[in-house]
Amino acid sequence: MSDDIDVRVSEHANIRCTVRNSATCNQCGAEVVWVRTPKGKNMMCDPEPDEEQLHSCHWDTCVNKKPKQNRYEPSADHPWRKGYQ
C-alpha cells in the first residue's frame, strides 16, 4: 500500500502524504491509515476523505481523544507552586 493522499493539516494548508499501512485507533477503535509526511514524520489519518476529497488527521476527529498534557507544568503541590519554605 503506497498510495498518495492529500491530508488537511490546518484550515488553510494541505499536504501530500504516502500511505504506509492501515490500523485501528487505540483510543476509539476506528479504522485509520498511517501516512508518512513529506518531512518523514508518521501521522494517523482517517481513511475516508471529506466532501473536499481531503483526509483528516485522526487526532482531530477521534471521539475518545485524551486531553493534551503539558509535561512541563508543575503540579499544584510542587515546591515551585508552594514557594520554598
Side-chain angles (χ1 to χ4, degrees):
M1 182 183 278
S2 63
D3 300 329
D4 286 345
I5 61 173
D6 292 320
V7 178
R8 180 188 313 275
V9 291
S10 74
E11 185 178 340
H12 303 289
N14 307 321
I15 57 174
R16 189 127 185 105
C17 298
T18 303
V19 176
R20 304 291 288 182
N21 60 357
S22 59
T24 304
C25 175
N26 290 336
Q27 301 298 319
C28 69
E31 290 294 318
V32 296
V33 291
W34 282 97
V35 300
R36 176 126 339 176
T37 67
K39 290 188 175 186
K41 303 289 185 178
N42 293 319
M43 182 168 57
M44 189 167 49
C45 293
D46 293 328
E48 297 299 321
D50 61 13
E51 61 278 350
E52 298 174 14
Q53 297 302 309
L54 295 170
H55 294 260
S56 298
C57 176
H58 184 68
W59 296 118
D60 297 336
T61 62
C62 184
V63 294
N64 292 337
K65 176 172 61 173
K66 292 182 181 178
K68 188 174 181 180
Q69 296 177 349
N70 185 350
R71 299 185 327 187
Y72 303 107
E73 184 69 26
S75 62
D77 59 345
H78 193 278
W80 291 349
R81 293 277 184 166
K82 291 181 178 179
Y84 294 104
Q85 300 166 340

